[in-house]
Structures are given as C-alpha cells and as structure tokens.
Amino acid sequence: MQTVTMNDGHQIPAMGYGVFMMSSDEVREHLPQALETGYRHIDTANAYFNEVSVGEVIRSCGTPREELFVTTKLFPQSYPYDQCKKDIDATLERLGLDYVDLLLFHQPYGEYASGWKAMEEAVAEGKVRSIGLSNFPVHKIAEIMEVATVKPAVLQVEINPYWNQHALKDELAKMGLGDITLEGWYPLGHGDEGLLAEPVFTELAKKYGKTPAQIILRWSVQEGNVVFPKTLNPEHMRQNIDIFDFELTSDEMAQVNALPQHAYYDVPEEPPAFVLATNDYSRQA
C-alpha cells in the first residue's frame, strides 16, 4: 500500500475502504473482509449512521489501532463552535476511539468558519490528527482560510477520469493550497459502464493484465489522489487494492486526461433539504 504525505506531515494510505450507504450489519460483515484483504484506511461519517459498528470492527479485528487510518465527518448541524466541540467528543464515543486520524466537514453549508476553530482545538488536544473538508468549493474554502491557523490537510471531492479536477487543483494552488491532498469519491464513475468501456481503459487493461477498473484506480493514485472504491464483493475488494504492482506511462496518463470532462454530481450552492435536517446520531444499531 502506498501512502501520501499530507501538508501536516501525517501519512494517509492512498487506498481506503468507504462505508457510505452501508448498514451497521453490512459494516460488521464486510469491513472485516476489507481489513483481511489489506485495507488500513476506513472512511465513515456521522451521517452514515454506522460509526458504532465501524468502531466495533476496529476494536475486534486484531489489527493494532496505530496501523489503521480512520476518517469520519461532521454534518453542518455540528459546525457552530460550541456544538462542534460537543459533537467531536460524541463522535469519538460512538467509535470507541481516543482519536481519529482525519476529521472532515462533510458539506459546505452552515457555520463552517465558526466550527473550524473547534477542529483546530481538537488537533491541539490530540482528539484529531488531521482536519479537512469535503465537497467545499474554492470560495467557501477561502472563507475558512481567512480564520484558519491550521490549513485543511484534505479536500474530498468527486474525482474520476470524466472529472479529473485539474482546474480545481490549479485554483487551490493559487490560494496557497497546492499541497492539499485530494480524496476522490465516485472514482469509478458511480457504476457508469460507459466509463469502464472507454477504449483507453480496455486497451490498457489488456496491456497490463488488469481490469478497466484497476486501470482507472491506478490513474487516480498516480495523479496523487486518495481513492475509496466502494464494494461489498470480496473479489472486487482484492482487485481494487491490487494496483500497486504496475505504473502507467506519462503518455498513458495523458490519454486518460484527454477524456471529455463532466461531473456526475454538482454540489449546489444552497443547502439541499437533507443537509438541513437535524439527525440523532445516537440511534445506531
């Protein structure tokens, strides 16, 4: 497993196992399979309602805590400073952990500038090792940078060959965040068979003896991104992590980056209704 060194000096595994839209029972069944396969990076969130089961697996899996990289995320209801302090503690309690390796603000709405101070204090207190953002556009990141004394280490956004985020990386570099680590959701295009069938991927798959999905994941890792291909299939888990024994050439990388660009999902400027809902995260099976 390769790692990426973040701008705060901590290392993050380049491949993670995400538990988005997994029930607690699915987490208990499939997260151990992922850990047995070799995954050491787990990505969850308050709003996934499965932190309790993630914590159970971490404590029972036999893998030392220091060998795991655990990410979770706070929803906008947790952003106001005082609430953020409380909800960080509540998150750790649900997970049953003394600290998390990475804590993100999940959605770009609400009082994120206020809450960033609480995130920084959590780092100082040893409750969180690295902090970052998810789905935030550049102009809202700029608002946080106006009050930040600790830069975001990570930005989690959609990244795939149809949306390579080169323009975003350029904008981030202009504002002094060229060293931020990008994590990609929808790395395989949200199950888009058309993406997997692109000739560049079918041809490279034949050349390297890999699947088109493995070629795509290898491309993203070589771009410097961290990826979370979601699967409940143990064979797909094995295939997804089996991308560190070959390397695409610069010409092949350029072929992938020449694909037409379009996002699968546009993060709206105004908060959708589901973001404004107040969730009771204690209600987890």
Side-chain angles (χ1 to χ4, degrees), residues 32-33 55 58 115 117 144 160 165 207 211 218 247 276:
Q33 295 169 345
I58 289 171
K117 180 181 177 182
I144 289 176
N160 52 68
Q165 294 289 11
K207 173 182 175 180
T211 67
R218 180 66 211 181
E247 185 172 327
L276 297 177

Side-chain angles (χ1 to χ4, degrees), residues 266-285:
D266 289 317
V267 178
E269 179 69 19
E270 297 301 321
F274 76 91
V275 173
L276 297 177
T278 299
N279 299 301
D280 181 359
Y281 300 122
S282 68
R283 300 180 61 184
Q284 298 186 26

Side-chain angles (χ1 to χ4, degrees), residues 44-213:
T44 185
N46 288 182
Y48 296 174
F49 281 87
N50 55 25
E51 288 175 306
V52 170
S53 56
V54 167
E56 290 173 2
V57 172
I58 289 171
R59 293 191 300 276
S60 65
C61 70
T63 302
R65 171 66 184 93
E66 61 271 17
E67 294 183 13
L68 298 174
F69 190 102
V70 181
T71 299
T72 194
K73 313 178 196 74
L74 301 176
F75 232 43
Q77 71 185 61
S78 298
Y79 294 173
Y81 173 80
D82 289 336
Q83 191 64 45
C84 195
K85 299 280 285 186
K86 296 175 184 176
D87 286 359
I88 290 171
D89 288 340
T91 291
L92 293 174
E93 184 176 355
R94 284 191 297 274
L95 287 165
L97 300 177
D98 295 327
Y99 70 94
V100 292
D101 298 273
L102 177 63
L103 183 64
L104 305 179
F105 278 170
H106 200 163
Q107 297 285 350
Y109 312 109
E111 298 181 40
Y112 43 82
S114 165
W116 193 252
K117 180 181 177 182
M119 296 274 274
E120 293 181 336
E121 290 175 356
V123 173
E125 294 163 358
K127 297 175 181 179
V128 177
R129 292 197 169 171
S130 300
I131 51 178
L133 304 167
S134 174
N135 299 310
F136 273 67
V138 167
H139 67 281
K140 293 185 178 181
I141 297 173
E143 294 176 34
I144 289 176
M145 291 297 290
E146 289 178 1
V147 301
T149 59
V150 177
K151 293 196 299 185
V154 161
L155 176 61
Q156 191 174 114
V157 291
E158 179 186 340
I159 304 176
N160 52 68
Y162 284 159
W163 200 236
N164 60 34
Q165 294 289 11
H166 286 188
L168 172 62
K169 291 180 180 181
D170 289 343
E171 291 183 77
L172 291 168
K174 291 175 183 176
M175 59 189 297
L177 284 173
D179 57 359
I180 197 169
T181 296
L182 264 64
E183 295 183 331
W185 47 262
Y186 284 2
L188 299 175
H190 198 43
D192 182 1
E193 293 296 330
L195 174 62
L196 295 173
E198 286 280 0
V200 63
F201 300 126
T202 57
E203 292 168 9
L204 289 174
K206 291 177 183 177
K207 173 182 175 180
Y208 289 104
K210 298 291 183 178
T211 67

